[in-house]
Amino acid sequence: MDTLETRELRYFIAVAEELHFGRAAERLGMAQPPLSRAIQQLERRLGVSLLERDRRGVALTDAGEVLLHEGRAVLDATAAAARRARRAGGADSPGGPRGCHRLVLAVKAAASHELLQKLLDVYAAEPDAADIEVLPCGICEQGELLRDGRADVALMYTPFNSLAGFDSEELMTEGQIAILPAGHPLAARKALSLADVSDVPDLPLARWPSHGTYAPGPGPEIHDQTQLAQLIALGRTVAVVPDSARAWLWAEHTAVPLTDAPPVVTHIAWPAHSRSLALAGLIRTAAQL
């Protein structure tokens, strides 16, 4: 047995994530008995147990853990293929001509504004340039958007974003700054170290999500740039960000360079298997900036 149906994977992933057949069936919009039978049939076809069932509930076996991880990637890939095929043919562009190629570029909101504007302007001058839709996204969401096909290409930032599974080109390296409330004593300094801003009693460091979870700490959990800007202005937090973030500073903010923060490298990244000529043209333009 060397093939799986996407329907089977959707059923199994729902159960694996809920660890409860009733909740999984409700999520899938189906009755529980046929869902249970489908999972049992899948286990027989694979020749392994995917789930451990007892009176305490449901748990994943080692084989189930592997299928959950691989199955998510498969469903992302099939969704991505469908989205990119429709986009390449113009099927998802109401009012636009069919066959008019469009690329979706995912960018972290308010990041790398000058670089992004230059890239869009230079690429638009190319004779065969595709239409570029800029898709602003939240913190560290670019990878997910690339994997499931909602984006064709993204601006990503190491060490914050993982480039695993993507091809990429380096575009820019910059330092980092601390953004503080303008009236805070540290805002008067010409430069700071990470130690200076890591343990300020009245100004805890903002916490960013990593793979959907937040590290423990007293600082606020940050969900988007607007929230961060307001909390800094109110004197509730300090943030360590790339120097290009100066573009969105408010009058109530002060940016101070950090002397020992690791450099941030901006990459343009895309799925490693891409064969899009339009995408290749955009990458070529970006690499020449």
Side-chain angles (χ1 to χ4, degrees):
M1 186 264 177
D2 56 2
T3 60
L4 290 171
E5 298 178 6
T6 56
R7 175 183 58 83
E8 292 177 309
L9 287 176
R10 285 198 305 272
Y11 287 1
F12 170 72
I13 288 171
V15 176
E17 290 179 344
E18 298 291 345
L19 292 178
H20 190 281
F21 277 89
R23 289 194 298 269
E26 182 177 357
R27 167 174 153 181
L28 292 164
M30 63 187 299
Q32 182 173 334
L35 175 60
S36 298
R37 289 194 296 270
I39 298 300
Q40 291 168 357
Q41 183 180 26
L42 176 60
E43 290 177 315
R44 286 195 296 270
R45 290 178 61 211
L46 289 173
V48 295
S49 294
L50 300 171
L51 302 165
E52 294 177 349
R53 308 161 178 86
D54 59 31
R55 285 177 293 181
R56 291 175 296 177
V58 178
L60 288 170
T61 64
D62 289 344
E65 292 278 4
V66 170
L67 187 59
L68 175 60
H69 175 75
E70 299 287 345
R72 284 169 171 160
V74 168
L75 292 186
D76 280 347
T78 56
R83 286 181 174 126
R84 292 194 175 107
R86 289 177 56 81
R87 195 149 58 235
D92 64 348
S93 301
R98 281 188 173 272
C100 177
H101 203 110
R102 181 169 64 93
L103 295 174
V104 177
L105 170 61
V107 298
K108 180 184 172 185
S112 302
H113 176 75
E114 291 184 8
L115 175 65
L116 175 60
Q117 189 64 65
K118 184 177 180 181
L119 171 59
L120 294 175
D121 290 345
V122 174
Y123 178 69
E126 296 291 327
D128 297 320
D131 291 334
I132 303 295
E133 177 187 337
V134 177
L135 177 62
C137 63
I139 300 164
C140 294
E141 289 182 348
Q142 300 98 309
E144 179 183 350
L145 295 173
L146 285 180
R147 278 187 287 271
D148 69 12
R150 285 177 287 169
D152 301 293
V153 61
L155 293 184
M156 301 177 73
Y157 311 91
T158 56
F160 307 119
N161 298 127
S162 171
L163 298 173
F166 304 122
D167 285 340
S168 64
E169 287 278 351
E170 292 187 13
L171 301 184
M172 180 178 75
T173 299
E174 61 185 318
Q176 296 196 67
I177 56 175
I179 301 182
L180 302 117
H184 194 276
L186 289 178
R189 300 268 292 272
K190 297 295 184 182
L192 294 166
S193 68
L194 287 172
D196 290 331
V197 297
S198 63
D199 191 23
V200 183
D202 60 338
L203 206 64
L205 270 170
R207 291 185 291 143
W208 313 93
S210 177
H211 304 293
T213 61
Y214 290 84
E221 296 181 353
I222 300 303
H223 306 288
D224 57 53
Q225 180 257 324
T226 301
Q227 176 208 23
L228 174 63
Q230 185 170 39
L231 289 174
I232 295 172
L234 292 172
R236 301 302 177 91
T237 191
V238 58
V240 174
V241 296
D243 189 78
S244 57
R246 292 175 185 269
W248 58 260
L249 293 188
W250 295 3
E252 296 91 344
H253 299 156
T254 295
V256 181
L258 291 168
T259 58
D260 57 350
V264 176
V265 182
T266 301
H267 302 255
I268 189 166
W270 64 96
H273 60 271
S274 176
R275 297 295 182 267
S276 167
L277 294 178
L279 177 57
L282 179 64
I283 301 303
R284 185 167 54 250
T285 299
Q288 294 171 353
L289 291 178

